[in-house]
């Protein structure tokens, strides 16, 4: 267990760090027009972060003890295929419905 002093020091340090990261965009660049090349790169942030969040949970889920689960892989493929058409909500719905349908069938 971590002692209280270390916990609060780490909490404050992480809070200041995340504030500095957000302030660098919102406070310093919030009122300025960004160059086109920067806007182009920022458009890909969500596309890169979203798969990075759920890929480990799909490939090595805790529910199966870290083993690959075909139901989750098939649901991820269904979400990916619908997502290729550009619909984020459609991809989420397709992945969830495929997952729950396969869990019910199997």
């Amino acid at each position: 267990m971590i002692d209280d002093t270390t916990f609060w020091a780490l909490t404050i340090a992480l809070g200041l760090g995340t504030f500095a990261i957000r302030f660098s965009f919102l406070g310093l660049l919030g009122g300025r027009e960004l160059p086109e090349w920067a806007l182009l790169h920022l458009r890909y942030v969500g596309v890169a972060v979203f798969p990075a969040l759920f890929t480990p949970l799909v490939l090595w889920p805790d529910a199966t003890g870290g083993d690959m689960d075909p139901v989750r892989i098939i649901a991820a493929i269904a979400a990916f295929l619908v997502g290729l058409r550009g619909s984020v909500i459609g991809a989420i719905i397709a992945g969830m419905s495929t997952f729950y349908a396969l869990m019910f069938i199997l």
Side-chain angles (χ1 to χ4, degrees):
M1 187 73 174
I2 190 170
D3 64 290
D4 289 343
T5 306
T6 305
F7 171 77
W8 285 112
L10 186 60
T11 301
I12 291 169
L14 289 173
L16 291 173
T18 58
F19 176 79
I21 290 170
R22 285 179 277 136
F23 183 76
S24 68
F25 275 95
L26 300 175
L28 299 177
L29 299 175
R32 298 180 184 173
E33 187 70 28
L34 290 175
E36 191 61 36
W37 63 268
L39 292 174
L40 176 68
H41 294 307
L42 287 173
R43 287 189 187 110
Y44 293 109
V45 170
V47 176
V49 169
F50 191 59
L53 289 174
F54 70 79
T55 299
L57 298 174
V58 169
L59 295 179
W60 305 286
D62 288 336
T64 62
D67 296 330
M68 285 186 145
D69 183 19
V71 172
R72 286 174 172 79
I73 301 294
I74 293 169
I77 291 170
F80 177 75
L81 292 176
V82 172
L84 286 177
R85 299 191 58 199
S87 173
V88 175
I89 301 298
I92 292 170
I93 291 171
M96 286 176 47
S97 59
T98 303
F99 176 76
Y100 286 117
L102 289 174
M103 289 297 284
F104 181 74
I105 292 171
L106 300 176

